Amino acid sequence: MTKARLLRLSVVLVSIFMILLIIVYWDNVGTAHFYLHMSFSRPRSPGAIPGITAGEDWEALPDVDEFLAKLLSSSLRQNNSTPRKTEQLLVQGSNKPVVSNLEEKVRGYDWSTHKDRNSLDQEKLQVERQRTLREFCANSSFTFPTKERSFDDIPNYELNHLIVDDRHGIIYCYVPKVACTNWKRVMIVLSESLLDQGVPYRNPLDIPREHVHNTSTHLTFNKFWRRYGKFSRHLMKIKLKKYTKFLFVRDPFVRLISAFRSKFELENEEFYRRFAIPMLKLYSNHTNLPTSVSEAFGAGLKVSFSDFIQYLLDPRTEKMTPFNEHWRQIYRLCHPCQIDYDFIGKLETLDEDAAYLLQLLKVDRLLRFPPSYRNRTASSWEDNWFAKIPLAWRQQLYKLYEADFVLFGYPKPENLLKD
């Protein structure tokens, strides 16, 4: 009798555990809008996205992963039977937005069309970019910090740049100063994570910039632990296997110039207090600095590009706090040797890459990628910006960002590294 009771009790407890697990997993993952690029939901041909091989996704999954994957599959089949009324075709000729942000006012948008540009052979380009990345990740003679660690070794707080769209099965690693504002806008439209008077945004440029960069707007990998506890890494791995993962990169030195222009040449209260004041004190010997950026700019007190480079090279900088995301190396933001990206876009070919990516994701009828800034920092500016930077500093700076140059196929700037 006792054994029978124990057996019944164990069955009840196991059932309760399974129900709780389903409830936890269902939270914000198995919603009515859950939509994935998966082999069991919407098959894609092996050539649809370079680097993806059909049939290899489910190999060697651990037991827990396999269970969660099956659960994911069953929830998907239920949700695919529900019509997706919210996805509407792109409304042609939408109005240009009212620009309210200082940086967007200063730089403006390039509304000219680019239909006459020579189209790139995008598929070959993607194959080449991915080959370069994988070869150097596998090359034992090429080393840089964190290269050898596994995905499980990456702390949760370092996964905060991976934005997840469960509706379309997309993971985007955003890199500041690489069109990330507009790509975040695209992710908001696709995931419907932000509403305007109860209605999801349809036009990316309608989304105010302050909402775009609000961390609560996006579902990122670093939030998984709070939602799913010890199952968070299993879920991340399943999504990394099944979802389309992309990032956009930029010439590392040009990205630094862009970050400097944005954060120190325009009035930015936060960056003035957090970074400009210490830089002016340490590298320009200023004391008794104004407490507000407007006062400082009025008195002609601005961080120079030389101050900024000294700050980056100063070994004390990262002993106090990690680099800010606007100048942190891309390999530290997106972990390209631990995450196998399906698409690598570049700012230098942004218009072509963005159009091709939206086609691959099959969302090009839902939205357009917003236009580029007119006044975008160009690679041709490098010589002028680095002209007054000592050669030894330029060489040290290259070593600091060498991994980004090499992994993403940017040529070594020999003209800046020699007399």
Side-chain angles (χ1 to χ4, degrees), residues 40 86 153 175 209 233 248 257 281 325 327 400 410:
F40 49 75
T86 54
D153 294 329
V175 178
R209 191 182 179 95
R233 288 283 164 154
F248 271 72
I257 297 170
K281 288 181 177 179
E325 63 179 4
W327 46 83
L400 194 59
Y410 287 100

Side-chain angles (χ1 to χ4, degrees), residues 138-325:
N139 187 343
S140 58
S141 63
F142 177 66
T143 61
F144 56 88
T146 74
K147 179 189 175 185
E148 301 301 328
R149 67 181 178 181
S150 69
F151 179 75
D152 286 329
D153 294 329
I154 303 173
N156 275 325
Y157 66 84
E158 290 187 19
L159 298 172
N160 61 332
H161 280 242
L162 292 157
I163 298 176
V164 182
D165 167 24
D166 283 318
R167 296 186 68 248
H168 298 85
I170 302 169
I171 296 174
Y172 162 52
C173 184
Y174 74 89
V175 178
K177 309 315 302 174
V178 190
C180 79
T181 299
N182 284 334
W183 276 116
K184 285 181 179 181
R185 284 174 165 141
V186 167
M187 293 296 284
I188 289 171
V189 170
L190 293 178
S191 63
E192 298 187 352
S193 60
L194 190 64
L195 305 180
D196 180 24
Q197 297 180 343
V199 179
Y201 282 97
R202 292 280 168 253
N203 182 356
L205 282 177
D206 287 342
I207 305 171
R209 191 182 179 95
E210 60 268 21
H211 296 328
V212 172
H213 295 296
N214 188 328
T215 56
S216 64
T217 303
H218 306 280
L219 173 62
T220 49
F221 265 9
N222 65 308
K223 297 178 181 178
F224 275 37
W225 177 255
R226 293 199 303 270
R227 296 185 179 203
Y228 312 117
K230 64 181 181 180
F231 294 110
S232 59
R233 288 283 164 154
H234 296 295
L235 291 173
M236 290 180 201
K237 288 178 182 177
I238 289 175
K239 291 177 190 291
L240 287 171
K241 280 181 176 289
K242 310 306 293 184
Y243 287 14
T244 301
K245 306 165 293 296
F246 77 93
L247 79 164
F248 271 72
V249 299
R250 185 179 196 176
D251 179 289
F253 279 4
V254 180
R255 180 172 168 245
L256 288 180
I257 297 170
S258 178
F260 176 80
R261 292 179 66 209
S262 169
K263 303 306 175 185
F264 300 112
E265 289 200 331
L266 299 177
E267 292 188 12
N268 186 309
E269 200 67 50
E270 178 191 359
F271 277 76
Y272 173 72
R273 292 181 179 179
R274 288 181 58 193
F275 303 106
I277 289 177
M279 288 184 204
L280 289 168
K281 288 181 177 179
L282 283 170
Y283 312 118
S284 293
N285 298 318
H286 286 293
T287 57
N288 301 319
L289 290 163
T291 56
S292 74
V293 67
S294 58
E295 292 178 77
F297 275 41
L301 296 172
K302 293 184 180 181
V303 168
S304 68
F305 189 58
S306 176
D307 293 336
F308 180 54
I309 299 303
Q310 287 185 79
Y311 168 81
L312 295 174
L313 298 177
D314 193 333
R316 295 171 294 180
T317 298
E318 289 218 88
K319 288 181 180 178
M320 298 178 63
T321 183
F323 275 177
N324 179 268
E325 63 179 4

